[in-house]
Amino acid sequence: MSRPDYIFKGRRIILAPEYLPCIDYYALLAAYPEAVVDNTLKFDKRHKTMHRCDIADTHGAISLTVPIEKPVSMSGALWSDIRISGHNHWWNQHLTTLKSAYGRTPFFEYYLDDFLPFYSEQWVGKSITEFNNGLDHTIRKLLGIDTTVIYKTDFNDLPTELESDDYRKTKLYPTNTVEYYQVRKQKLGFIPSMSIVDLLFNMGPESPLILGMMV
């Protein structure tokens, strides 16, 4: 997603490391020359997007949740300390749900192999931020987003040459709603602010065009 002149030229965006973030997240990220994903955020169980995303299933929007292990200390834990649980073999459940939701979309089979490595038992016991960062790298590659992304483990040494826009704790990103093809749009109507995979599986290579219209 080559952008010769970024909308927010000379600025950076600061984001939380979310699980399969909504399309608004990537619309904003792609509008900046630099993004910082903050892996030093303190654990807060109310911040559900760290391990939960929304997709459009056969009957409407549903949530997928990666189960996490409770930290030893609630007061001092960082999200980077939070480990992924193996509860109910969640990786099989997520993959089955994704296939049910998007198996008939034009680009599901095209992109499926890129996501398969993240739906296996190998992630049990690993950091949720490591998991999210890996997915983020894959998604940006598929979208062709050329924003420079820095995954921070020490937020105190952030370079100061760029002004920052901080969206680490936001629930609503300031983007425009742009309707795109969804496989069940005629039946369910357009469902906005779904996970980025909804856009990818439905629109494929045209996904960056939609993101560019949102900011």
Side-chain angles (χ1 to χ4, degrees), residues 48-96:
K48 302 296 186 182
T49 53
M50 286 286 196
H51 61 115
R52 179 182 297 177
C53 71
D54 294 326
I55 64 169
D57 199 1
T58 53
H59 299 291
I62 63 169
S63 295
L64 291 177
T65 302
V66 177
I68 55 177
E69 298 176 356
K70 188 176 181 179
V72 175
S73 171
M74 297 290 285
S75 60
L78 305 179
W79 273 106
S80 57
D81 299 323
I82 304 302
R83 302 296 154 179
I84 296 174
S85 168
H87 184 67
N88 284 341
H89 291 183
W90 63 268
W91 52 92
N92 289 331
Q93 295 180 5
H94 283 217
L95 194 55
T96 298

Side-chain angles (χ1 to χ4, degrees), residues 72 148 187:
V72 175
T148 299
K187 174 185 176 182

Side-chain angles (χ1 to χ4, degrees), residues 194-209:
M194 292 291 94
S195 165
I196 189 64
V197 297
D198 185 84
L199 181 64
L200 272 171
F201 294 150
N202 280 295
M203 296 295 293
E206 294 185 42
S207 296
L209 298 177

